[in-house]
Amino acid sequence: MRQPRIRFLTASATLAALVLTGCGTGDSAGETAHNGAGPTIAAEEFMRLKTTPEKNGMTLLEGPTFDENGDLIVVDVPAPAGEPKVMRVDIEQKTSRSLFTDDRGAYTSAQFSPHDGRPYLTDFAHGEIVSLAPGGTDRRTFFTGPVGGARMQPDDIAFDQEGNLYISDSRGLSDGAAIGRVVRIDRTGKQATVLADDLAAPNGISFDPGYRGLWVSELIENRISYLHLGAKGGTGPRHTAIRVDGGIAQTDSIAVDAAGNLYQALHGRAAMAVYSPNGQRLATVELPDGTEGLESATNVAITPGATTAYMTVSGPAGGYLYTFEALAEGIRQSNGG
């Protein structure tokens, strides 16, 4: 069914569009990898973080990102007011607690700034970037308002080494119009620049290991583009780098490991496609055969300096963390988004 235009949707309608576009398209967990997709990497259930709430009937976990203590920060996009919208997960104890909630935001990503050490969140419903103190207090609106004459629909974040933000602006998500953008916001929050436009609902965004360019997944076209970066925040050419064979699933967030491999999350299928930086399909991360009620994998965090990965997975069964062994060690580019 054709969804209404999202530009002027209410916050509740925005949540519905986000979840339905991403994870309401069938359950393919447990399938073997397609021909040419490389071997299957088996993911194992680590812990359940959320049950499906009765109030809105949906949960959609995103993030995840490690804090300085080795805990994972995870967001729940459609969490209602009063319920945990940002959670802290103790990996050692396998416990979680609420870090932050409010009565308005629909937070679709989390990542810590290398500049001030605060976690930054994208509020898709209100077109804002907010930050918190590491303990979950002191909510600040880092950026709000139009960019280039249009309000953002910010999805994911990538930080450069100086703490400037690169945002996937997922405009056009509901109607398929190629009006999405990549927006750079300087670390003071005072200067916003459109680096790329005419994108098909960009979602995932991550630097390569050398910070030479950005990988950007375009959800509507199921493709990953590469945006070359120039000096002082400028840009070079952009090209289609990888076309993802997702079937009914669509490209969500991207993580990059120390070897430059891309972990492309799949909305509508609880799996991840792993590619080399040259576009070769290396593997597919899959849930165990027989897993039911989990329909989307949204993102992954790979332990810094190690290969243990934690993937956010959601569906009617609730919101879970699954774990698997990545192909290379985790770095900043594989830690939130």
Side-chain angles (χ1 to χ4, degrees):
M1 182 177 72
R2 186 175 178 86
Q3 297 178 7
R5 292 186 65 86
I6 201 168
R7 187 176 303 172
F8 303 111
L9 290 178
T10 63
S12 60
T14 299
L15 287 178
L18 275 168
V19 176
L20 291 174
T21 300
C23 66
T25 53
D27 187 349
S28 302
E31 293 180 0
T32 56
H34 296 295
N35 290 336
T40 295
I41 298 175
E44 298 180 353
E45 181 183 327
F46 183 73
M47 66 183 295
R48 183 168 71 174
L49 293 181
K50 293 291 292 283
T51 57
T52 301
E54 295 181 359
K55 185 174 181 179
N56 60 13
M58 63 183 75
T59 187
L60 184 66
L61 300 185
E62 262 282 11
T65 184
F66 285 99
D67 67 13
E68 62 182 3
N69 298 316
D71 293 335
L72 275 176
I73 306 302
V74 180
V75 300
D76 184 11
V77 181
E83 294 294 322
K85 296 193 174 187
V86 185
M87 294 167 281
R88 170 170 279 140
V89 180
D90 186 319
I91 295 297
E92 295 296 327
Q93 300 297 321
K94 286 192 176 184
T95 58
S96 68
R97 64 178 180 86
S98 177
L99 185 69
F100 174 76
T101 190
D102 63 10
D103 61 358
R104 70 188 301 267
Y107 302 108
T108 54
S109 66
Q111 193 168 138
F112 284 85
S113 166
H115 173 60
D116 59 18
R118 294 169 63 91
Y120 282 68
L121 314 173
T122 50
D123 183 353
F124 191 97
H126 298 94
E128 297 178 347
I129 311 297
V130 305
S131 73
L132 306 172
T137 59
D138 189 31
R139 180 194 184 279
R140 301 177 187 174
T141 300
F142 172 76
F143 183 86
T144 189
V147 178
R151 194 185 77 167
M152 288 196 301
Q153 290 170 344
D155 201 318
D156 282 6
I157 301 173
F159 281 100
D160 67 17
Q161 294 164 298
E162 288 74 42
N164 304 301
L165 291 76
Y166 295 73
I167 309 295
S168 58
D169 180 8
S170 195
R171 297 174 69 240
L173 173 63
S174 65
D175 59 11
I179 57 174
R181 305 178 294 184
V182 172
V183 176
R184 180 185 186 272
I185 304 174
D186 78 310
R187 69 185 190 186
T188 69
K190 296 178 179 179
Q191 183 175 355
T193 306
V194 177
L195 298 184
D197 54 14
D198 299 327
L199 298 171
N203 191 311
I205 185 168
S206 183
F207 282 96
D208 61 22
Y211 291 89
R212 294 179 297 271
L214 286 164
W215 298 104
V216 182
S217 64
E218 297 177 67
L219 181 143
I220 292 174
E221 291 291 341
N222 263 9
R223 68 187 176 202
I224 303 171
S225 294
Y226 186 77
L227 176 63
H228 296 263
L229 295 179
K232 297 181 180 180
T235 58
R238 177 179 91 227
H239 69 273
T240 297
I242 299 169
R243 295 194 180 275
V244 179
D245 178 12
I248 61 172
Q250 296 172 290
T251 52
D252 200 290
S253 298
I254 292 178
V256 176
D257 67 20
N261 301 313
L262 285 73
Y263 297 75
Q264 176 60 66
L266 297 176
H267 246 325
R269 181 183 175 196
M272 300 195 82
V274 186
Y275 296 92
S276 76
N278 293 320
Q280 178 186 2
R281 182 78 169 259
L282 300 176
T284 304
V285 181
E286 297 276 10
L287 272 56
D289 289 342
T291 302
E292 297 182 352
L294 295 177
E295 297 175 345
S296 290
T298 55
N299 207 347
V300 66
I302 305 173
T303 306
T307 57
T308 304
Y310 298 90
M311 177 172 65
T312 45
V313 184
S314 303
Y320 288 74
L321 285 174
Y322 272 71
T323 187
F324 64 91
E325 287 301 310
L327 300 185
E329 293 181 349
I331 53 177
R332 167 168 284 279
Q333 289 87 325
S334 41
N335 190 12

